[in-house]
């Protein structure tokens, strides 16, 4: 909730959302599993293909060797088909018979020795040798073109799967996570709209009793306990303020009579302390009642009456601006707000510092500015300075919170900042009140013009 009373609906950035982290984790784990599984499958597949290629090569070599050493050896024939890789090598290592594709090696020394894999005419060939009796040695080769193509196809498919699968898994995980966490997101939006100054309504539960249902149930139980605790705190605070109110009233009256009789400075100081305690109890009472239970008693009073009240409550305050007009307000509540601001300013400025209250008026707004010569507002507090029990000047921390609440109840605002020339500057703005002459009877006693209202005697302060 904003300090001004507005509600904020917070949206989580996609990179910080729970469903994105779940989808990303799910995708990474799935990618690792797919990678390991695919590598295993591809490795096994390539191993089987390689084994089949080797078996085929050995089978061809054994068949050709048997053909040369058998009864029907087929002497004079070419060893293998036109595309076969075969050579006959004599005892001196000279090739004396080849398949047509290897005719260039005829009558030349055998070039490959005992190598099991060679390159022939820019083609990778895997080869084996077999003895063929008196004929010497049979060399048989088998091109690896098909095996290499199958190996490259398998690796390309694996690479494509590693690129496409994570994207599909991430999108699927995002969609599934969004569906699964929709109830939690709806509950978070409802919880974000809960006004802590009002009754803490519980969150609706999803139909499915899953982990989200269990979490929301726990949150509802927590909300009920918070509301019960707040009610007990308000009740206790109200009782404490009530018990303090009566003795303080008697004390104030006694000190006022003593001040009138003796004019003793010590008695005057004690009277001011009693006023301080009285306003503190009023702040506590307003905090205990809350904004909804606080009713304003509207009056149109002279601005000078308000100035006189503040001057009496916080002596040494300098007033500037135009105080000759009138103000439509609850006099006691507005006095309380300005008194809290000036008392805080006096506390910050010290006895030798200055506190200035300036009133400016436009047709739309009445603006009170309270400036002091103190060290200014702590920058680390920011808007927290208006929260209850947050203080940067050693006070109770209630004054600014209550003053902003009073300003809001009047339809106005209260802001605070550091003045460019030093010290703190608080601005309390209230809507202006334009009075019109709605009656045609000048003798109507109930028809009071602005001059009559400004000449009214000051209203007594509310205890």
């Amino acid at each position: 909730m904003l300090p001004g009373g507005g509600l904020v609906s917070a949206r989580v950035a996609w990179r910080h959302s729970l469903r994105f982290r779940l989808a990303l984790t799910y995708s990474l784990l799935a990618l690792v599993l797919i990678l390991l599984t695919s590598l295993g499958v591809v490795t096994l597949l390539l191993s089987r293909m390689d084994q089949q290629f080797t078996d085929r090569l050995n089978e061809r070599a054994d068949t050709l060797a048997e053909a040369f050493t058998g009864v029907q050896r087929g002497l004079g024939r070419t060893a293998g088909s036109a595309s076969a890789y075969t050579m006959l090598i004599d005892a001196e290592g000279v090739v004396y018979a080849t398949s047509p594709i290897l005719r260039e090696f005829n009558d030349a020394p055998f070039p490959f020795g005992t190598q099991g894999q060679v390159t022939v005419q820019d083609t990778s060939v895997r080869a084996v040798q077999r003895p063929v009796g008196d004929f010497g040695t049979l060399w048989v080769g088998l091109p690896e073109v098909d095996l290499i193509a199958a190996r490259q196809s398998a690796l390309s498919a694996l690479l494509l799967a590693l690129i496409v699968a994570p994207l599909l898994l991430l999108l699927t995980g995002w969609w599934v996570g969004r569906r699964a966490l929709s109830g939690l997101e709806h509950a978070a939006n409802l919880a974000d709209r809960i006004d802590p100054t009002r009754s803490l309504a519980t969150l609706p539960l999803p139909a499915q009793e899953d982990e989200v249902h269990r979490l929301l149930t726990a949150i509802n139980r927590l909300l009920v306990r918070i509301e019960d605790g707040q009610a007990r705190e308000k009740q206790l605070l109200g009782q404490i303020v009530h018990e303090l109110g009566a003795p303080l009233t008697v004390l104030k009256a006694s000190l006022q009579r003593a001040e009138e009789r003796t004019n003793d400075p010590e008695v005057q100081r004690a009277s001011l302390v009693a006023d301080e305690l009285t306003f503190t109890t009023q702040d506590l009472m307003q905090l205990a009642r809350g904004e909804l239970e606080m009713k304003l008693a509207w009056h149109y009073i002279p601005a000078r009456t308000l100035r006189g009240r503040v001057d009496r409550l916080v002596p040494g305050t300098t007033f500037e601006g135009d105080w000759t007009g009138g103000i439509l307000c609850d006099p006691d509540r507005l006095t309380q707000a300005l008194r809290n601001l000036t008392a805080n300013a006096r506390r910050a400025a010290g006895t030798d510092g200055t506190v200035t209250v300036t009133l400016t008026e436009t047709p739309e707004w009445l603006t009170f500015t309270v400036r002091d010569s103190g060290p200014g507002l702590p920058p680390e507090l920011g808007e927290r300075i208006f929260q209850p029990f947050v203080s940067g000047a050693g006070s109770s921390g209630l004054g600014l919170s209550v003053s902003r609440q009073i300003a809001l109840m009047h339809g106005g605002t209260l802001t605070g900042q550091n003045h460019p020339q030093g010290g703190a500057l608080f601005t309390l703005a209230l809507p202006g009140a334009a009075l019109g002459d709605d009656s045609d009877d000048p003798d109507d006693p109930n028809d009071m013009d602005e001059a009559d209202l400004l000449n009214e005697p000051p209203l007594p302060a509310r205890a």
Side-chain angles (χ1 to χ4, degrees):
M1 187 171 181
L2 289 174
L7 294 173
V8 176
S9 178
R11 295 188 63 85
V12 180
W14 63 269
R15 62 185 180 277
H16 300 309
S17 66
L18 177 60
R19 60 172 173 262
F20 175 75
R21 296 202 304 271
L22 290 176
L24 184 60
T25 304
Y26 164 74
S27 300
L28 292 177
L29 291 176
L31 177 61
V32 172
L33 293 177
I34 290 175
L35 177 61
L36 295 177
T37 304
S38 300
L39 285 177
V41 171
V42 171
T43 301
L44 179 62
L45 176 62
L46 294 178
S47 177
R48 292 291 179 86
M49 293 173 60
D50 189 84
Q51 184 62 42
Q52 290 178 359
F53 185 86
T54 302
D55 293 343
R56 180 185 171 192
L57 175 61
N58 289 325
E59 182 181 357
R60 172 176 289 191
D62 293 338
T63 301
L64 290 176
E66 183 180 356
F68 276 100
T69 57
V71 178
Q72 298 178 347
R73 293 187 289 271
L75 293 175
R77 299 183 191 178
T78 302
S81 64
S83 61
Y85 290 76
T86 57
M87 289 187 288
L88 281 174
I89 306 114
D90 60 16
E92 286 76 20
V94 177
V95 178
Y96 65 90
T98 66
S99 57
I101 200 172
L102 300 177
R103 189 175 292 115
E104 60 180 298
F105 296 102
N106 250 334
D107 300 326
F110 180 63
F112 302 129
T114 59
Q115 298 180 39
Q117 190 168 5
V118 297
T119 301
V120 179
Q121 298 174 353
D122 297 329
T123 301
S124 179
V125 177
R126 190 178 300 184
V128 294
Q129 299 180 16
R130 295 288 188 272
V132 288
D134 297 336
F135 293 96
T137 303
L138 175 66
W139 180 90
V140 179
L142 190 63
E144 293 183 310
V145 176
D146 295 338
L147 181 63
I148 293 174
R151 187 180 300 159
Q152 291 177 346
S153 298
L155 293 177
S156 299
L158 176 61
L159 181 60
L160 180 63
L162 294 180
I163 294 176
V164 175
L167 297 177
L168 294 178
L169 290 172
L170 183 61
L171 293 176
T172 304
W174 177 270
W175 181 79
V176 172
R178 185 172 185 179
R179 292 289 301 272
L181 299 177
S182 59
L184 186 59
E185 183 179 12
H186 179 64
N189 292 333
L190 291 177
D192 196 43
R193 291 196 292 269
I194 291 179
D195 187 352
T197 63
R198 303 171 184 264
S199 178
L200 299 179
T202 55
L203 303 174
L205 300 177
Q208 186 176 2
E209 295 187 5
D210 53 7
E211 288 81 357
V212 175
H213 185 283
R214 182 178 177 184
L215 174 63
L216 296 183
T217 302
I219 292 176
N220 284 339
R221 289 197 296 265
L222 178 61
L223 290 175
V224 171
R225 291 196 297 271
I226 290 176
E227 189 168 13
D228 291 341
Q230 289 179 342
R232 288 193 297 270
E233 290 174 359
K234 288 184 177 181
Q235 183 179 7
L236 177 62
L237 190 59
Q239 292 175 351
I240 293 175
V241 172
H242 179 73
E243 294 297 327
L244 291 175
L248 280 176
T249 301
V250 175
L251 178 62
K252 281 185 60 177
S254 300
L255 289 173
Q256 287 176 356
R257 288 193 297 271
E259 182 181 358
E260 293 172 355
R261 290 195 306 268
T262 64
N263 201 23
D264 188 348
E266 295 296 330
V267 175
Q268 294 177 355
R269 187 176 299 108
S271 179
L272 292 176
V273 172
D275 287 337
E276 179 85 15
L277 291 175
T278 300
F279 273 94
T280 301
T281 56
Q282 289 181 359
D283 292 343
L284 289 172
M285 178 61 73
Q286 184 158 338
L287 180 67
R289 290 176 177 174
E291 182 178 345
L292 292 180
E293 300 180 21
M294 182 65 62
K295 303 298 183 183
L296 296 182
W298 294 92
H299 294 276
Y300 193 81
I301 64 171
R304 61 176 179 269
T305 300
L306 183 65
R307 183 183 65 182
R309 287 187 173 191
V310 176
D311 189 27
R312 185 183 71 83
L313 294 171
V314 186
T317 302
T318 302
F319 295 90
E320 297 180 355
D322 185 8
W323 294 83
T324 60
I327 304 173
L328 181 62
C329 63
D330 183 322
D332 293 335
R333 297 303 171 199
L334 187 55
T335 299
Q336 184 180 2
L338 288 176
R339 178 262 167 203
N340 288 341
L341 295 176
T342 52
N344 284 346
R346 172 55 61 197
R347 191 179 295 110
T351 55
D352 298 331
T354 60
V355 176
T356 304
V357 180
T358 304
L359 173 60
T360 57
E361 182 178 2
T362 66
E364 293 80 18
W365 294 95
L366 285 173
T367 304
F368 300 88
T369 57
V370 180
R371 180 189 172 190
D372 62 65
S373 59
L377 301 177
E380 66 275 6
L381 291 181
E383 280 292 313
R384 292 180 55 242
I385 198 72
F386 293 102
Q387 296 179 6
F389 307 111
V390 175
S391 173
S395 62
S396 65
L398 286 174
L400 292 180
S401 175
V402 171
S403 296
R404 170 169 274 187
Q405 187 175 351
I406 292 173
L408 293 175
M409 293 174 64
H410 281 80
T413 60
L414 174 61
T415 59
Q417 61 183 351
N418 287 322
H419 195 276
Q421 299 178 1
L425 176 67
F426 287 91
T427 303
L428 193 158
L430 302 180
L435 296 181
D437 187 7
D438 296 332
S439 175
D440 295 333
D441 186 1
D443 298 326
D444 188 352
N446 295 321
D447 184 16
M448 301 180 67
D449 59 15
E450 184 174 351
D452 295 330
L453 289 170
L454 293 178
N455 292 325
E456 272 194 310
L459 294 171
R462 193 181 328 184

